[in-house]
Amino acid sequence: MSTQQAEPESQEAPEDPEMKGAESPQERRLEEKDDGMVDERAEKTAELEGETVLIKVFRYDPEVADKQEPRFDDFHVPFTKGMTVLDAVMYARDEYDSSLTFRHSCRQAVCGSDAFFVNGRQRLGCKTQISDLEQPVRIEPLPHQEVVKDLVVDMDHFYDQMHTVEPYFQDEDTPPVEDLEEQRQSPENREKIKMSSRCIWCGACMSSCNIAAGDNEYLGPAAINKAYKFAMDDREGEEIKEHRLRILEQEHGVWRCQTQFSCTEVCPKDIPLTEHIQELKREAVKKNLKFW
Ligand code: SF4
Ligand code: FES
């Protein structure tokens, strides 16, 4: 079996908040991300119209003798306005090589199945515009996961870690069914956990995390973010929150995070993962404080 080992992206130091006028580090990052993007894309699109784009796609198939040695295949794809990385690999599969294998479903950044390593960064194929990328566009499976075939990686470990944090709502004293009634949440509490509930289980964050790469038992940013969503939901109550914090503060939990921000940088849903992990660390400390 082949695995992809990729170098982490270099991380830029966060900018001074005063400079951008944004309220939180996450808002600053999003502002930086959007700055000038639309103009640049329009310019690049005009340049590419009528051209072909070169994509270099990672290939590997353990079941076919002459494909067991990993390699890159080149495909020249006619550019169309609005073309995404997913569109390009679909064109390559449909027009040139029907054995080219990858996952996709919704094509609108909802199902999380087409996370690839594109030009050295974890991205959703359907959300990434070809016009935003340098050519040739290099498309690989997610690093740090076992490759099943071509761009498909084994997600079992990622799902296992997600399930470790009990990713479902738990109530302290669930009353008998006949007495069940709607549980209301305050708008403030909803606002607090809003971003964490956007996760689409794509695995990009886990793949970008150096700590997860070196510690197979580390829960990882996606699972911790999932735990955040429930631990911070007031409706679950203090007792369940303590139970969740006990899971999170174990040896391979939140304290493994070294605040490198790589997960936050690559998350296609812009979830402030690193900030959620830091907040859970603070909650774990508060829970363990004793006053005599
Ligand atoms: S937290 Fe973001 S990067 Fe990680 S699995 Fe969820 S959507 Fe993907
Ligand atoms: S195809 Fe569903 S997220 Fe890209």
Side-chain angles (χ1 to χ4, degrees), residues 86 104-114 124 126 200:
L86 181 61
H104 74 91
S105 179
C106 68
R107 301 181 69 179
Q108 48 188 330
V110 173
C111 71
S113 59
D114 65 334
L124 279 187
C126 63
I200 54 172

Side-chain angles (χ1 to χ4, degrees), residues 4 53-59 71-73 75 77 84-90 92 100-102 114-121 123-125 128 130 133-134 136-142 150-151:
Q4 286 274 284
V53 177
L54 171 59
I55 60 171
K56 296 176 102 55
V57 185
F58 179 88
R59 306 301 305 273
R71 63 173 200 275
F72 283 87
D73 279 355
F75 299 100
V77 177
T84 64
V85 167
L86 181 61
D87 293 331
V89 287
M90 286 173 77
L100 176 55
T101 306
F102 49 93
D114 65 334
F116 307 133
F117 195 58
V118 182
N119 281 6
R121 182 191 170 107
R123 309 173 201 254
L124 279 187
T128 307
I130 287 287
L133 301 169
E134 292 296 322
V137 180
R138 200 175 151 101
I139 306 167
E140 300 166 72
L142 286 182
D150 295 341
L151 300 176

Side-chain angles (χ1 to χ4, degrees), residues 231-243:
M232 295 299 174
D233 188 322
D234 286 345
R235 294 170 296 177
E236 280 203 328
E238 280 307 308
E239 218 172 281
I240 303 288
K241 179 169 177 172
E242 281 211 14
H243 167 70

